[in-house]
Amino acid sequence: MSLWTSLEPASSTVDPGSSTTVRLRVRNTGDIVDEYRFEPVGDLAPWARVEPPLLRLYPGTTGTVEVTFAPPRTPDAVAGPHPYALKITPAEHRSAVVVAEGNVTVTPFTEVRAEMVPPTVKGWFRGRPQLAVDNLGNTQVTASLSGSDTGDRISYDLQPGNVQIEPGRAAFVKATLRPRQITWFGSKQEHPYSVAVRRSGSEPLPVDGTFVQRGVLPGWLTAVVSVLLALTIAFVAIWVTNRPQMRTQAQEKLEQGGKLKPDSPPPPKEKAPPAPEKSEEPPAKPEGDGGGDANGEGGGGGEEKQPEEKTAADAVRELSEGSEDRHICYRAYVGDSWQDPVCDGEEAGEAGQGTPIKSLDIAVTNTQGVTGTGAFVGEGWREEIPWSNADDGKDMYFGSTEEADPALEGFTYKVFDGAVCSDTYVQDKQWLGEVCTDPGQFKYHGSPMELNLPLEAVRLTV
């Protein structure tokens, strides 16, 4: 070997965001002038710098290079020992590579950030935000979670209640907020709350949010009921106070001790008129349409019987009769009436006509049933409307046909055996493209909820 090396120190420690320097002494033990190239190898190589990168030595002489390690204060610089090597390649004898080995220990640091997504949630009976916890340090973080608010007006359900987060990763915790008292009447109430992220040996990290509790019944309804109740009480009080006294003349005379005499003689009884003689001829048949047919048989009345409305379940049963194939039929409530049902990818609704869908009727076969719910323009997910479920061959409805209720913005649904696909036409956005669920799983279909745009048409397949 024509080269001698010495690394000082062989082991060192560095804090993320700072630097440390080691020195490598090199002696040319050969008999010719040679030039040496230095290259760091290992986990810390991206953050290592050698000065000078080339060293030219005469035989028997010694030179020194400095290696500086500067790991950043990021999760990439993982805490702990990191072995490294300096690869030394002579210019004259490239195959005679020498490696000097050392070790650098990166010290740990902790940095945690957390936020509520979204910071403000609204609901009648519950709110469902998510807590995002990011580990920006270079060591694993273990934390527990708890919620609190002023006045203990909210109960908290955090799933999971404890998290372990690797460096550079994030954990998401589902939170369910429920008010301890339901507001039946009146305007909305704001409940500020806080979720604490607690780590051993560190101060809790509070994350603030707001739950806006809506009144189940609007405030104006309370005023109307109060006014009607007051009017009813006032009417009853006036009636009781000024009720007329009903007294007959006979009663007054009896109270005065007199005899009851008729003021005038009773009228003479009239004889009943004689009964008409029984006619031997049958009564004439009335002219005009009496509801009978040409043979004289009765028709049972003059009103025409209206045909029954055909639902999605009727259509899917007709389509699947005698078959084991999967089918889905559906119809849309547009304007003020239900459309006729369509099946297996046909269009329901009125695409591009500016008439939104308010409700959907869906029925399936050979999928072990269907379940789902709807989202509504301007209101998101309607908490007071439960999920709809239906067995094979039965109707499942979501949405509302009431005039005052909003139109559908989107929906989520699934079948219990298999997958479903949908293509939705959103106002001002046209067809959004087919979206399919995984087998037996839910997926949202419809307008992006931040746009608040109604559906105008759908196509469904299974």
Side-chain angles (χ1 to χ4, degrees):
M1 179 182 293
S2 61
L3 186 67
W4 171 87
T5 62
S6 174
L7 189 63
E8 301 174 356
S11 297
S12 60
T13 302
V14 62
D15 296 327
S18 62
S19 62
T20 186
T21 301
V22 298
R23 291 178 175 82
L24 177 66
R25 298 176 61 198
V26 181
R27 178 182 297 173
N28 184 357
T29 58
D31 53 2
I32 61 173
V33 177
D34 209 342
E35 186 177 61
Y36 304 95
R37 180 180 297 275
F38 302 91
E39 179 184 357
V41 180
D43 294 341
L44 299 182
W47 307 308
R49 185 180 71 256
V50 181
E51 291 290 340
L54 295 173
L55 188 64
R56 185 179 180 84
L57 295 177
Y58 288 92
T61 61
T62 302
T64 302
V65 296
E66 292 185 346
V67 184
T68 301
F69 296 94
R73 189 178 175 84
T74 65
D76 296 331
V78 180
H82 293 268
Y84 70 92
L86 288 175
K87 180 180 177 182
I88 308 170
T89 305
E92 297 297 331
H93 303 280
R94 294 183 180 276
S95 60
V97 176
V98 177
V99 176
E101 297 180 344
N103 184 80
V104 173
T105 300
V106 178
T107 60
F109 77 94
T110 303
E111 184 176 349
V112 176
R113 294 180 186 175
E115 63 176 340
M116 299 301 300
V117 182
T120 300
V121 292
K122 301 177 182 180
W124 287 273
F125 307 106
R126 67 183 64 86
R128 290 175 176 168
Q130 277 193 333
L131 174 66
V133 184
D134 296 286
N135 181 7
L136 304 181
N138 66 348
T139 185
Q140 186 187 68
V141 168
T142 301
S144 61
L145 308 167
S146 62
S148 63
D149 63 284
T150 304
D152 194 25
R153 294 180 291 180
I154 302 176
S155 65
Y156 302 84
D157 182 13
L158 305 175
Q159 296 295 334
N162 299 278
V163 292
Q164 285 188 341
I165 314 172
E166 297 296 328
R169 300 288 185 177
F172 294 90
V173 179
K174 295 181 178 180
T176 301
L177 314 176
R178 292 185 175 88
R180 299 191 184 276
Q181 292 185 349
I182 297 175
T183 302
W184 292 103
F185 297 93
S187 59
K188 62 185 179 182
Q189 299 182 22
E190 293 188 358
H191 302 298
Y193 68 92
S194 178
V195 175
V197 181
R198 303 179 183 275
R199 296 173 290 127
S200 177
S202 302
E203 290 292 327
L205 175 64
V207 184
D208 297 329
T210 302
F211 173 50
V212 179
Q213 183 183 3
R214 296 170 172 170
V216 177
L217 300 176
W220 61 264
L221 183 60
T222 306
V224 171
V225 172
S226 301
V227 171
L228 292 177
L229 182 61
L231 291 175
T232 303
I233 294 174
F235 176 77
V236 172
I238 293 172
W239 171 261
V240 172
T241 303
N242 301 318
R243 184 176 56 183
Q245 301 294 327
M246 305 297 292
R247 296 171 63 88
T248 65
Q249 187 177 10
Q251 181 66 27
E252 292 176 354
K253 289 184 177 182
L254 286 175
E255 291 177 355
Q256 295 173 3
K259 294 182 179 180
L260 181 60
K261 295 182 179 179
D263 293 336
S264 58
K269 294 184 178 180
E270 297 181 358
K271 294 183 179 181
E277 295 183 1
K278 191 172 184 181
S279 174
E280 296 181 358
E281 296 182 1
K285 183 177 180 180
E287 297 181 357
D289 185 6
D293 56 17
N295 298 322
E297 297 179 357
E303 292 187 0
E304 182 182 354
K305 186 176 180 181
Q306 298 294 329
E308 294 185 359
E309 184 180 76
K310 185 175 182 180
T311 69
D314 298 328
V316 82
R317 286 195 295 267
E318 292 178 4
L319 185 62
S320 62
E321 186 175 0
S323 170
E324 295 184 357
D325 294 336
R326 301 174 189 266
H327 295 286
I328 181 170
C329 293
Y330 42 95
R331 60 176 181 154
Y333 190 91
V334 178
D336 58 357
S337 62
W338 286 102
Q339 295 182 335
D340 292 333
V342 296
C343 302
D344 297 335
E346 295 182 88
E347 180 180 323
E350 298 179 354
Q353 300 301 314
T355 52
I357 295 175
K358 298 199 65 174
S359 181
L360 284 175
D361 171 19
I362 296 177
V364 295
T365 56
N366 300 316
T367 64
Q368 298 184 10
V370 62
T371 181
T373 189
F376 296 82
V377 172
E379 297 191 18
W381 299 99
R382 297 278 296 278
E383 295 289 350
E384 78 278 11
I385 297 180
W387 285 68
S388 301
N389 301 276
D391 297 329
D392 280 348
K394 302 292 185 180
D395 287 302
M396 181 198 75
Y397 296 89
F398 48 70
S400 172
T401 59
E402 296 294 332
E403 182 179 357
D405 286 339
L408 277 177
E409 175 181 348
F411 52 89
T412 181
Y413 73 129
K414 74 172 184 179
V415 294
F416 294 95
D417 182 13
V420 291
C421 300
S422 74
D423 190 0
T424 54
Y425 189 100
V426 176
Q427 180 180 318
D428 300 332
K429 294 295 180 182
Q430 299 186 354
W431 293 101
L432 299 184
E434 189 174 63
V435 176
C436 297
T437 69
D438 296 328
Q441 300 296 318
F442 289 106
K443 184 170 288 186
Y444 176 73
H445 308 259
S447 166
M449 297 188 69
E450 66 273 9
L451 299 181
N452 289 339
L453 296 177
L455 298 181
E456 290 188 2
V458 295
R459 299 170 180 155
L460 309 180
T461 56
V462 291

